[in-house]
Coordinates of all heavy atoms in Angstrom, one line a residue:
M145 N -10.5 -9.9 -19.9 CA -9.8 -8.8 -19.3 C -9.3 -7.9 -20.5 O -8.7 -8.4 -21.4 CB -8.7 -9.2 -18.4 CG -7.8 -8.1 -18.0 SD -6.6 -8.5 -16.8 CE -7.6 -9.0 -15.4
S146 N -9.5 -6.7 -20.4 CA -9.1 -5.8 -21.5 C -7.6 -5.5 -21.4 O -7.0 -5.7 -20.3 CB -9.9 -4.4 -21.4 OG -9.5 -3.7 -20.3
G147 N -7.0 -5.1 -22.5 CA -5.6 -4.8 -22.5 C -5.2 -3.6 -21.6 O -4.1 -3.6 -21.0
E148 N -6.1 -2.7 -21.4 CA -5.9 -1.5 -20.5 C -5.7 -2.0 -19.1 O -4.8 -1.5 -18.4 CB -7.0 -0.5 -20.6 CG -6.8 0.7 -19.8 CD -8.0 1.7 -19.9 OE1 -8.2 2.1 -21.1 OE2 -8.6 1.9 -18.9
N149 N -6.5 -2.9 -18.6 CA -6.3 -3.4 -17.3 C -5.0 -4.1 -17.1 O -4.4 -4.0 -16.0 CB -7.5 -4.4 -16.9 CG -8.8 -3.7 -16.7 OD1 -8.8 -2.5 -16.5 ND2 -9.9 -4.5 -16.9
K150 N -4.5 -4.9 -18.0 CA -3.2 -5.5 -17.9 C -2.1 -4.5 -17.8 O -1.1 -4.7 -17.1 CB -3.0 -6.5 -19.1 CG -3.9 -7.7 -19.1 CD -3.6 -8.6 -20.3 CE -4.6 -9.7 -20.3 NZ -4.4 -10.6 -21.5
V151 N -2.2 -3.4 -18.5 CA -1.2 -2.4 -18.5 C -1.2 -1.6 -17.2 O -0.1 -1.3 -16.7 CB -1.4 -1.4 -19.7 CG1 -0.5 -0.2 -19.6 CG2 -1.2 -2.1 -21.0
L152 N -2.3 -1.4 -16.6 CA -2.4 -0.6 -15.4 C -2.1 -1.4 -14.1 O -1.7 -0.8 -13.1 CB -3.8 -0.1 -15.2 CG -4.2 1.0 -16.2 CD1 -5.7 1.4 -16.0 CD2 -3.3 2.2 -16.2
R153 N -2.1 -2.7 -14.1 CA -1.8 -3.5 -12.9 C -0.4 -3.2 -12.3 O -0.3 -2.9 -11.1 CB -1.9 -5.0 -13.2 CG -3.3 -5.5 -13.2 CD -3.3 -6.9 -13.4 NE -4.7 -7.4 -13.3 CZ -5.0 -8.7 -13.3 NH1 -4.1 -9.6 -13.4 NH2 -6.3 -9.0 -13.2
P154 N 0.7 -3.2 -13.1 CA 2.0 -2.9 -12.5 C 2.1 -1.5 -12.0 O 2.7 -1.2 -11.0 CB 3.0 -3.1 -13.6 CG 2.2 -3.7 -14.8 CD 0.8 -3.6 -14.5
I155 N 1.4 -0.5 -12.7 CA 1.4 0.9 -12.2 C 0.7 1.0 -10.9 O 1.2 1.6 -10.0 CB 0.8 1.8 -13.3 CG1 1.6 1.7 -14.6 CG2 0.6 3.2 -12.8 CD1 0.9 2.4 -15.8
L156 N -0.5 0.4 -10.7 CA -1.2 0.4 -9.5 C -0.4 -0.3 -8.4 O -0.4 0.2 -7.2 CB -2.6 -0.2 -9.6 CG -3.5 0.6 -10.5 CD1 -4.8 -0.2 -10.8 CD2 -3.9 1.9 -9.8
A157 N 0.2 -1.4 -8.6 CA 0.9 -2.2 -7.6 C 2.1 -1.3 -7.2 O 2.4 -1.2 -6.0 CB 1.4 -3.5 -8.2
T158 N 2.8 -0.6 -8.1 CA 3.9 0.3 -7.7 C 3.4 1.5 -6.9 O 4.0 1.8 -5.9 CB 4.6 0.8 -9.0 OG1 5.0 -0.3 -9.8 CG2 5.8 1.7 -8.7
F159 N 2.2 2.0 -7.2 CA 1.7 3.1 -6.5 C 1.4 2.7 -5.0 O 1.8 3.4 -4.1 CB 0.4 3.6 -7.1 CG -0.4 4.5 -6.2 CD1 -0.1 5.8 -6.1 CD2 -1.5 4.0 -5.5 CE1 -0.8 6.7 -5.3 CE2 -2.2 4.9 -4.6 CZ -1.8 6.2 -4.5
Y160 N 0.8 1.5 -4.8 CA 0.5 1.1 -3.5 C 1.8 0.8 -2.7 O 1.9 1.0 -1.5 CB -0.4 -0.1 -3.5 CG -1.8 0.2 -3.7 CD1 -2.5 -0.1 -4.9 CD2 -2.5 1.0 -2.8 CE1 -3.8 0.2 -5.1 CE2 -3.8 1.3 -3.0 CZ -4.5 1.0 -4.1 OH -5.8 1.3 -4.3
M161 N 2.8 0.2 -3.4 CA 4.1 -0.1 -2.7 C 4.7 1.2 -2.2 O 5.2 1.3 -1.1 CB 5.0 -0.8 -3.7 CG 6.3 -1.2 -3.1 SD 7.5 -1.9 -4.3 CE 7.9 -0.5 -5.3
F162 N 4.7 2.2 -3.1 CA 5.3 3.5 -2.6 C 4.5 4.2 -1.6 O 5.0 4.9 -0.7 CB 5.6 4.4 -3.8 CG 6.8 4.1 -4.6 CD1 6.7 3.6 -5.9 CD2 8.0 4.2 -4.0 CE1 7.9 3.2 -6.6 CE2 9.2 3.9 -4.7 CZ 9.1 3.4 -6.0
L163 N 3.2 4.0 -1.6 CA 2.3 4.6 -0.6 C 2.7 4.0 0.8 O 2.9 4.7 1.7 CB 0.8 4.3 -0.9 CG -0.2 4.6 0.2 CD1 -0.3 6.1 0.4 CD2 -1.5 4.0 -0.1
F164 N 2.8 2.7 0.8 CA 3.1 2.0 2.1 C 4.5 2.4 2.6 O 4.8 2.6 3.8 CB 3.0 0.5 2.0 CG 1.5 0.1 1.9 CD1 1.1 -0.7 0.9 CD2 0.6 0.5 2.9 CE1 -0.2 -1.1 0.7 CE2 -0.7 0.1 2.8 CZ -1.1 -0.7 1.7
K165 N 5.5 2.5 1.6 CA 6.8 2.9 2.0 C 6.8 4.3 2.6 O 7.5 4.6 3.6 CB 7.8 2.9 0.8 CG 8.2 1.5 0.4 CD 9.2 1.5 -0.7 CE 9.8 0.2 -0.9 NZ 11.1 0.2 -1.5
R166 N 6.0 5.2 2.0 CA 6.0 6.6 2.5 C 5.3 6.7 3.8 O 5.8 7.4 4.7 CB 5.2 7.5 1.5 CG 5.0 8.9 1.9 CD 6.4 9.6 1.9 NE 6.2 10.9 2.4 CZ 6.8 11.5 3.5 NH1 7.7 10.8 4.1 NH2 6.5 12.7 3.8
L167 N 4.3 5.9 4.1 CA 3.7 5.8 5.4 C 4.6 5.3 6.4 O 4.7 5.8 7.6 CB 2.4 5.0 5.3 CG 1.2 5.6 4.6 CD1 0.1 4.6 4.4 CD2 0.7 6.9 5.2
Y168 N 5.4 4.3 6.1 CA 6.4 3.8 7.0 C 7.5 4.9 7.4 O 7.8 5.1 8.5 CB 7.1 2.6 6.5 CG 6.4 1.3 6.8 CD1 5.3 0.8 6.2 CD2 7.0 0.5 7.9 CE1 4.7 -0.4 6.5 CE2 6.4 -0.7 8.2 CZ 5.2 -1.1 7.5 OH 4.6 -2.3 7.9
A169 N 7.9 5.6 6.4 CA 8.9 6.6 6.6 C 8.3 7.7 7.4 O 9.0 8.3 8.3 CB 9.4 7.2 5.2
L170 N 7.1 8.1 7.2 CA 6.5 9.1 8.0 C 6.3 8.7 9.4 O 6.5 9.5 10.4 CB 5.1 9.5 7.4 CG 4.3 10.6 8.0 CD1 5.1 11.9 7.8 CD2 3.0 10.8 7.3
A171 N 6.0 7.4 9.6 CA 5.8 6.9 11.0 C 7.2 7.0 11.7 O 7.3 7.3 12.9 CB 5.3 5.5 11.0
E172 N 8.3 6.6 11.0 CA 9.6 6.7 11.6 C 10.0 8.1 12.1 O 10.6 8.3 13.1 CB 10.6 6.2 10.6 CG 10.6 4.7 10.5 CD 11.7 4.2 9.5 OE1 12.5 5.0 9.1 OE2 11.6 3.0 9.1
Q173 N 9.5 9.1 11.3 CA 9.8 10.5 11.7 C 9.0 10.9 12.9 O 9.4 11.9 13.5 CB 9.4 11.4 10.5 CG 10.3 11.3 9.3 CD 9.8 12.1 8.1 OE1 8.8 12.8 8.3 NE2 10.4 12.0 7.0
H174 N 8.0 10.2 13.3 CA 7.1 10.6 14.4 C 7.1 9.5 15.5 O 6.1 9.1 16.0 CB 5.7 10.9 13.9 CG 5.6 12.1 13.1 ND1 5.7 12.0 11.7 CD2 5.4 13.4 13.4 CE1 5.6 13.3 11.2 NE2 5.4 14.1 12.2
D175 N 8.3 9.0 15.8 CA 8.5 8.0 16.9 C 7.7 6.8 16.7 O 7.1 6.2 17.7 CB 8.2 8.7 18.2 CG 9.1 9.9 18.6 OD1 10.3 9.8 18.2 OD2 8.6 10.9 19.1
G176 N 7.6 6.3 15.5 CA 6.9 5.0 15.2 C 5.4 5.0 15.1 O 4.8 4.0 15.0
R177 N 4.9 6.2 15.1 CA 3.4 6.3 14.9 C 3.1 7.4 13.9 O 3.7 8.4 13.8 CB 2.7 6.7 16.2 CG 3.0 5.6 17.3 CD 2.0 5.4 18.3 NE 0.6 5.5 18.0 CZ -0.2 4.5 17.8 NH1 0.2 3.3 18.0 NH2 -1.5 4.7 17.6
L178 N 2.0 7.1 13.1 CA 1.6 8.1 12.1 C 0.9 9.3 12.9 O 0.2 9.0 13.9 CB 0.6 7.5 11.1 CG 1.3 6.6 10.1 CD1 0.2 5.9 9.3 CD2 2.2 7.3 9.2
P179 N 1.1 10.5 12.5 CA 0.4 11.6 13.2 C -1.1 11.6 13.0 O -1.8 12.2 13.8 CB 1.0 12.9 12.5 CG 1.7 12.4 11.3 CD 2.0 11.0 11.4
V180 N -1.6 11.0 12.0 CA -3.0 10.9 11.7 C -3.3 9.4 11.4 O -2.6 8.8 10.6 CB -3.4 11.8 10.5 CG1 -4.9 11.6 10.2 CG2 -3.1 13.2 10.8
S181 N -4.4 8.9 11.9 CA -4.8 7.5 11.6 C -5.1 7.4 10.1 O -5.7 8.3 9.5 CB -6.0 7.1 12.3 OG -5.7 7.1 13.7
V182 N -4.6 6.3 9.5 CA -4.8 6.0 8.1 C -5.5 4.7 7.9 O -5.1 3.7 8.5 CB -3.5 6.0 7.3 CG1 -3.7 5.6 5.9 CG2 -2.8 7.3 7.4
R183 N -6.6 4.7 7.1 CA -7.2 3.4 6.7 C -7.2 3.3 5.2 O -7.5 4.3 4.5 CB -8.7 3.4 7.2 CG -8.8 3.3 8.7 CD -10.2 3.2 9.1 NE -10.3 3.3 10.5 CZ -11.1 2.5 11.2 NH1 -11.9 1.7 10.7 NH2 -11.1 2.6 12.6
V184 N -6.8 2.2 4.8 CA -6.8 1.9 3.3 C -7.9 0.9 3.0 O -7.8 -0.2 3.4 CB -5.4 1.4 2.9 CG1 -5.3 1.1 1.4 CG2 -4.3 2.3 3.4
L185 N -8.8 1.4 2.2 CA -9.9 0.5 1.8 C -9.5 -0.1 0.4 O -9.4 0.7 -0.6 CB -11.2 1.3 1.6 CG -11.7 1.9 2.9 CD1 -12.9 2.7 2.7 CD2 -11.9 0.9 4.0
L186 N -9.3 -1.3 0.4 CA -8.7 -2.0 -0.9 C -9.8 -2.7 -1.6 O -9.8 -3.9 -1.7 CB -7.6 -2.9 -0.5 CG -6.4 -2.2 0.2 CD1 -5.4 -3.2 0.7 CD2 -5.7 -1.2 -0.7
D187 N -10.8 -2.0 -2.2 CA -11.8 -2.5 -3.0 C -11.2 -3.0 -4.3 O -10.3 -2.3 -4.9 CB -12.9 -1.5 -3.2 CG -14.1 -2.1 -3.9 OD1 -14.4 -3.2 -3.7 OD2 -14.7 -1.3 -4.7
E188 N -11.6 -4.1 -4.8 CA -11.0 -4.7 -6.0 C -9.5 -4.9 -5.9 O -8.8 -4.9 -6.9 CB -11.3 -3.8 -7.2 CG -12.8 -3.6 -7.5 CD -13.4 -4.9 -8.0 OE1 -12.8 -5.7 -8.7 OE2 -14.6 -5.0 -7.8
F189 N -9.0 -5.1 -4.7 CA -7.6 -5.3 -4.5 C -7.0 -6.5 -5.2 O -5.9 -6.3 -5.8 CB -7.3 -5.5 -3.0 CG -5.9 -5.5 -2.6 CD1 -5.1 -4.4 -2.7 CD2 -5.3 -6.6 -2.0 CE1 -3.8 -4.4 -2.4 CE2 -4.0 -6.7 -1.7 CZ -3.2 -5.6 -1.9
P190 N -7.6 -7.6 -5.3 CA -7.0 -8.7 -6.1 C -6.8 -8.4 -7.5 O -6.0 -9.1 -8.2 CB -8.0 -9.9 -5.9 CG -8.8 -9.5 -4.7 CD -8.8 -8.1 -4.6
N191 N -7.5 -7.4 -8.1 CA -7.4 -7.1 -9.5 C -6.2 -6.2 -9.8 O -6.0 -5.9 -11.0 CB -8.7 -6.5 -10.0 CG -9.8 -7.5 -9.9 OD1 -9.7 -8.7 -10.0 ND2 -11.0 -7.0 -9.6
I192 N -5.5 -5.7 -8.8 CA -4.4 -4.7 -9.2 C -3.1 -5.4 -9.4 O -2.1 -4.7 -9.7 CB -4.3 -3.6 -8.1 CG1 -3.9 -4.2 -6.8 CG2 -5.6 -2.9 -8.0 CD1 -3.4 -3.1 -5.8
G193 N -3.0 -6.7 -9.1 CA -1.7 -7.3 -9.2 C -1.1 -7.5 -7.9 O -1.6 -7.2 -6.9
Q194 N 0.1 -8.0 -7.9 CA 0.8 -8.4 -6.6 C 1.7 -7.3 -6.1 O 2.5 -6.8 -6.9 CB 1.6 -9.7 -6.7 CG 2.1 -10.2 -5.5 CD 2.7 -11.6 -5.6 OE1 2.5 -12.2 -6.6 NE2 3.3 -12.1 -4.5
I195 N 1.6 -6.9 -4.9 CA 2.5 -5.9 -4.3 C 3.6 -6.6 -3.6 O 3.4 -7.5 -2.7 CB 1.7 -5.0 -3.3 CG1 0.6 -4.2 -4.0 CG2 2.7 -4.1 -2.6 CD1 -0.3 -3.5 -3.0
P196 N 4.9 -6.4 -4.0 CA 6.0 -7.1 -3.4 C 6.0 -6.9 -1.9 O 6.0 -5.7 -1.4 CB 7.2 -6.5 -4.1 CG 6.7 -5.8 -5.3 CD 5.3 -5.4 -5.0
G197 N 6.1 -8.0 -1.1 CA 6.2 -7.9 0.3 C 5.0 -7.5 1.0 O 5.0 -7.0 2.2
F198 N 3.8 -7.6 0.4 CA 2.6 -7.1 1.0 C 2.3 -7.8 2.3 O 1.8 -7.1 3.3 CB 1.4 -7.2 0.1 CG 0.2 -6.6 0.6 CD1 0.0 -5.2 0.8 CD2 -0.9 -7.4 1.0 CE1 -1.1 -4.7 1.3 CE2 -2.0 -6.9 1.5 CZ -2.2 -5.5 1.7
S199 N 2.5 -9.1 2.4 CA 2.1 -9.8 3.7 C 3.0 -9.3 4.9 O 2.5 -9.1 6.0 CB 2.3 -11.3 3.5 OG 3.6 -11.6 3.2
E200 N 4.2 -8.9 4.6 CA 5.1 -8.4 5.7 C 4.6 -6.9 6.0 O 4.7 -6.6 7.2 CB 6.6 -8.3 5.2 CG 7.2 -9.7 5.1 CD 6.9 -10.4 3.8 OE1 6.5 -9.7 2.8 OE2 7.1 -11.6 3.7
I201 N 4.2 -6.2 5.0 CA 3.8 -4.8 5.2 C 2.5 -4.9 6.2 O 2.5 -4.1 7.1 CB 3.4 -4.1 3.9 CG1 4.7 -3.8 3.1 CG2 2.7 -2.8 4.2 CD1 4.4 -3.4 1.7
I202 N 1.6 -5.7 5.8 CA 0.4 -5.8 6.6 C 0.6 -6.2 8.0 O 0.1 -5.7 9.0 CB -0.7 -6.7 5.9 CG1 -1.2 -6.0 4.7 CG2 -1.8 -7.1 6.9 CD1 -2.0 -4.7 5.0
S203 N 1.5 -7.2 8.2 CA 1.8 -7.8 9.5 C 2.5 -6.8 10.4 O 2.3 -6.7 11.6 CB 2.6 -9.1 9.5 OG 3.8 -8.8 8.9
T204 N 3.3 -5.9 9.9 CA 4.0 -4.9 10.7 C 3.3 -3.6 10.8 O 3.6 -2.8 11.7 CB 5.5 -4.7 10.2 OG1 5.4 -4.2 8.8 CG2 6.3 -6.0 10.3
A205 N 2.4 -3.3 9.9 CA 1.8 -2.0 9.8 C 0.8 -1.7 11.0 O 0.6 -0.6 11.4 CB 1.0 -1.8 8.5
R206 N 0.3 -2.8 11.6 CA -0.7 -2.7 12.7 C 0.0 -2.0 13.9 O -0.7 -1.3 14.6 CB -1.2 -4.0 13.1 CG -2.2 -4.6 12.1 CD -2.7 -5.9 12.6 NE -2.3 -6.9 11.6 CZ -2.1 -8.1 11.8 NH1 -2.3 -8.6 13.0 NH2 -1.7 -8.9 10.9
S207 N 1.3 -2.1 14.1 CA 1.9 -1.5 15.2 C 2.1 0.0 15.0 O 2.4 0.7 16.0 CB 3.2 -2.2 15.5 OG 4.1 -1.9 14.4
L208 N 2.0 0.5 13.8 CA 2.2 1.9 13.5 C 0.9 2.6 13.6 O 0.8 3.8 13.5 CB 2.9 2.1 12.2 CG 4.2 1.4 12.0 CD1 4.7 1.5 10.5 CD2 5.2 1.9 12.9

């Protein structure tokens, strides 16, 4: 693994964490549902590092 990949992992994990937080906040503003359906295709997902609380995010996101 190159040094660049190791440096980018925490940045990508932080990006996804804030993406999901923003989607949750947007859903709260619209009575618990997003105004537009969102699909996240996570190709190469295991290579970006660990997203804090991801299992909880996935389990609750389906209802939004």
Side-chain angles (χ1 to χ4, degrees):
M145 172 174 293
S146 69
E148 182 178 300
N149 287 341
K150 290 180 184 178
V151 171
L152 292 178
R153 279 185 179 185
I155 295 168
L156 290 171
T158 303
F159 168 78
Y160 282 112
M161 183 183 68
F162 281 112
L163 170 70
F164 291 123
K165 283 186 174 203
R166 179 64 183 125
L167 290 173
Y168 269 79
L170 187 60
E172 285 180 10
Q173 294 173 0
H174 292 91
D175 298 323
R177 300 208 38 105
L178 290 171
V180 177
S181 294
V182 175
R183 290 185 186 221
V184 181
L185 302 176
L186 299 171
D187 187 33
E188 298 291 331
F189 186 67
N191 295 329
I192 66 166
Q194 186 169 354
I195 297 173
F198 183 72
S199 59
E200 291 84 15
I201 291 169
I202 287 298
S203 64
T204 59
R206 286 183 243 153
S207 66
L208 304 175

